[in-house]
Amino acid sequence: MKLERKKDVSPKYLLIVLSVICIALTVISAFFPDAVKPIKEFTGKFMTPLQEGANDVGSWFDDKVQVFGDVKELKKENEELKKELTQYQNDLGKQEAELAELQTLRDLYDLDEMYPDYKKTAARIFSVNSSGWFNEFYINKGLNDDVYEGCNVICDEGLLGIVVESYDDYAKVRAIIDDRANVTAEIGSAGYLCNVEGSLQNMDNGYLLATDIDKNAIVTEGDKVITSSVSDRYLYGITIGYVTSVEQDPNNLTQTARITLTVNFSDIKDVLVILDRKQEVNY
Amino acid sequence: MRRIISIFILIILSFLLQSVLFSFQNVRGIAPNLLLILTMSFGIMRGRREGMLTGFFCGFLYDIFFGTLIGPYMFLFMIIGYLNGAFHKEFLMEDVMMPVIIIIVDELFFNFVIYIATFLLRNRTNLFFYLTHVMLPQMLFTALATIIIYRFYVWINKYLKKKVEENEVV
């Protein structure tokens, strides 16, 4: 009886009712983000374990497929690697001696302050935005592991992104190549300030643009681009990439440089989250 | 009831596949829009009401995980489900061509709205680039997935219908 009555509701009216719900939710989430956070949290509690499980299945499958790779190739590679290993072991002793020397020199110049050792935690990516428009992904650490909104995310090679939403057991990260991302950075040893703009279009061609460099700045090919100390969201000294070319802007006031990123965004599985956050100043 | 549970499971499965496996280990991944395929399939197989409701919940999941606000994708998916429901009268079980054409139009509409709302409004005017580099691959990928998955949905729909009829006889 109940079902019968339900069927009588015209789809048109249902459409109107649901549209109103959608619009109301949009307005609420735009103006009061905290009000809808419980909804996200609640759904996330059900979905993220499933996603992590599916990700594990994917990893397992990936491993199994790789086992079927050519054994001969592996043997050959093994031999080569062994040779390399002995060479590296020889090198290691030398490097260690040099490292000790470097450390004493650093202590001498008090450079420790400049490259502080940030507290980090490892996390794994378990889900990514598949729309092709945005570069966002989910990691399996959240508030319970002291990962808060605004934490920087890096991998071995350099800066990856920043945590934009954090929940109990997982967090959402926006990559620096996302079209909406902007990073204040500095170039070279002189530390000229610039703004690294994330861009879908440029990233497709393999570079990002560093804009608003002072026109008098001397920027050359190969200069290292790192996060700046004046950035209010990114910690100082994380590698972003290297300059490949530089150009004077038509306005004759600024320069724009093309930079190649050190991180390969097409093959990332494990990331490091820096637990220290940038000090905030309320003006 | 059986139908609601099946659709619910299908929504979750599609979402998992889309968000995890297809873009495995690739932050810049493009995956076929399985949630859209689901919305479209149930729209044309079952009519406007079910297309709309499926779209509503698909959009809800999409919003929570891929969006910043809750609502916009919900609305988009819902409208697509509703409009596709209008093709219900034309529905033939053997026909694969129609759903493929419909999904291509859907994808174009879906991506175009995203482009206008999130890219064009931020002065990213190179439409041709976005058309060829983002929309087209996604459309192709989704259309290919439709050819495979649609059959499966039709089979599920047929199975559910049979079950309901059996229940009525009992």
Side-chain angles (χ1 to χ4, degrees), chain A residues 29-99:
Chain A
S29 57
F31 292 106
F32 314 100
D34 292 334
V36 292
K37 214 177 170 190
I39 305 178
K40 285 193 172 187
E41 243 164 45
F42 182 75
T43 322
K45 258 201 185 114
F46 286 102
M47 292 307 288
T48 46
L50 288 175
Q51 284 181 313
E52 281 173 36
N55 196 33
D56 287 344
V57 172
S59 310
W60 179 83
F61 200 68
D62 204 40
D63 280 352
K64 287 288 173 258
V65 168
Q66 272 170 8
V67 168
F68 291 117
D70 206 344
V71 180
K72 253 185 200 167
E73 227 169 67
L74 283 177
K75 270 185 184 164
K76 204 173 144 198
E77 206 181 304
N78 193 14
E79 259 170 45
E80 274 171 22
L81 285 176
K82 265 182 192 160
K83 262 184 216 161
E84 262 179 50
L85 185 68
T86 41
Q87 198 195 327
Y88 283 135
Q89 271 168 347
N90 290 337
D91 285 352
L92 192 66
K94 210 169 80 187
Q95 301 285 357
E96 261 171 8
E98 271 172 13
L99 202 68

Side-chain angles (χ1 to χ4, degrees), chain B residues 83-118:
Chain B
L83 292 179
N84 287 349
F87 293 97
H88 179 52
K89 279 178 232 136
E90 252 74 34
F91 173 64
L92 276 174
M93 247 178 223
E94 297 78 21
D95 194 3
V96 187
M97 227 27 228
M98 191 179 76
V100 171
I101 293 168
I102 294 177
I103 199 80
I104 287 175
V105 176
D106 283 350
E107 267 284 348
L108 195 65
F109 174 69
F110 183 75
N111 279 314
F112 218 78
V113 171
I114 297 180
Y115 168 70
I116 290 172
T118 57

Side-chain angles (χ1 to χ4, degrees), chain A residues 9 131 138 179 201 204, chain B residues 49 65 111 124 126 133 138:
Chain A
V9 182
S131 70
Y138 281 91
D179 215 83
Q201 191 176 348
D204 212 73
Chain B
R49 190 203 318 272
F65 284 93
N111 279 314
R124 304 282 197 268
N126 194 348
H133 284 72
Q138 179 106 32

Side-chain angles (χ1 to χ4, degrees), chain A:
Chain A
M1 192 64 198
K2 212 177 167 190
L3 270 173
E4 203 76 357
R5 211 178 56 214
K6 220 173 169 184
K7 279 224 162 81
D8 286 336
V9 182
S10 160
K12 268 183 208 157
Y13 293 120
L14 198 58
L15 178 73
I16 293 169
V17 171
L18 292 181
S19 302
V20 170
I21 293 176
C22 285
I23 293 165
L25 272 174
T26 313
V27 172
I28 292 171
S29 57
F31 292 106
F32 314 100
D34 292 334
V36 292
K37 214 177 170 190
I39 305 178
K40 285 193 172 187
E41 243 164 45
F42 182 75
T43 322
K45 258 201 185 114
F46 286 102
M47 292 307 288
T48 46
L50 288 175
Q51 284 181 313
E52 281 173 36
N55 196 33
D56 287 344
V57 172
S59 310
W60 179 83
F61 200 68
D62 204 40
D63 280 352
K64 287 288 173 258
V65 168
Q66 272 170 8
V67 168
F68 291 117
D70 206 344
V71 180
K72 253 185 200 167
E73 227 169 67
L74 283 177
K75 270 185 184 164
K76 204 173 144 198
E77 206 181 304
N78 193 14
E79 259 170 45
E80 274 171 22
L81 285 176
K82 265 182 192 160
K83 262 184 216 161
E84 262 179 50
L85 185 68
T86 41
Q87 198 195 327
Y88 283 135
Q89 271 168 347
N90 290 337
D91 285 352
L92 192 66
K94 210 169 80 187
Q95 301 285 357
E96 261 171 8
E98 271 172 13
L99 202 68
E101 194 189 342
L102 181 72
Q103 195 56 49
T104 41
L105 284 174
R106 267 202 191 148
D107 287 346
L108 218 60
Y109 284 100
D110 235 2
L111 277 176
D112 255 359
E113 272 295 291
M114 272 184 89
Y115 300 99
D117 236 347
Y118 300 122
K119 217 163 80 189
K120 298 184 207 93
T121 180
R124 174 160 285 191
I125 297 175
F126 67 86
S127 167
V128 296
N129 188 334
S130 60
S131 70
W133 291 102
F134 309 111
N135 294 294
E136 286 172 338
F137 51 87
Y138 281 91
I139 54 173
N140 65 353
K141 291 271 169 79
L143 294 173
N144 292 345
D145 302 281
D146 292 335
V147 174
Y148 294 99
E149 203 180 307
C151 281
N152 295 175
V153 179
I154 58 170
C155 68
D156 296 341
E157 295 95 1
L159 183 65
L160 209 62
I162 192 163
V163 175
V164 285
E165 283 170 34
S166 185
Y167 303 94
D168 280 354
D169 298 316
Y170 62 98
K172 188 178 182 179
V173 179
R174 178 178 297 164
I176 51 166
I177 57 171
D178 188 283
D179 215 83
R180 296 163 295 182
N182 274 303
V183 186
T184 310
E186 52 185 59
I187 298 181
S189 48
Y192 299 111
L193 287 182
C194 67
N195 178 32
V196 177
E197 286 176 355
S199 160
L200 183 69
Q201 191 176 348
N202 291 337
M203 206 47 218
D204 212 73
N205 299 320
Y207 64 89
L208 282 187
L209 287 182
T211 55
D212 300 336
I213 310 166
D214 190 83
K215 70 166 177 182
N216 296 320
I218 303 156
V219 178
T220 47
E221 215 174 288
D223 278 356
K224 196 174 180 183
V225 182
I226 59 172
T227 50
S228 164
S229 49
V230 302
S231 165
D232 50 357
R233 304 181 74 195
Y234 292 93
L235 294 161
Y236 174 68
I238 308 167
T239 312
I240 297 174
Y242 293 92
V243 174
T244 48
S245 71
V246 64
E247 228 172 58
Q248 197 86 28
D249 283 339
N251 63 15
N252 239 342
L253 293 167
T254 52
Q255 301 181 73
T256 299
R258 280 186 183 193
I259 54 177
T260 308
L261 300 181
T262 43
V263 179
N264 177 12
F265 275 87
S266 57
D267 186 24
I268 308 167
K269 197 170 163 191
D270 296 298
V271 298
L272 291 168
V273 184
I274 300 180
L275 297 178
D276 301 313
R277 274 176 299 164
K278 194 85 179 190
Q279 195 176 337
E280 272 179 37
V281 181
N282 294 319
Y283 294 105

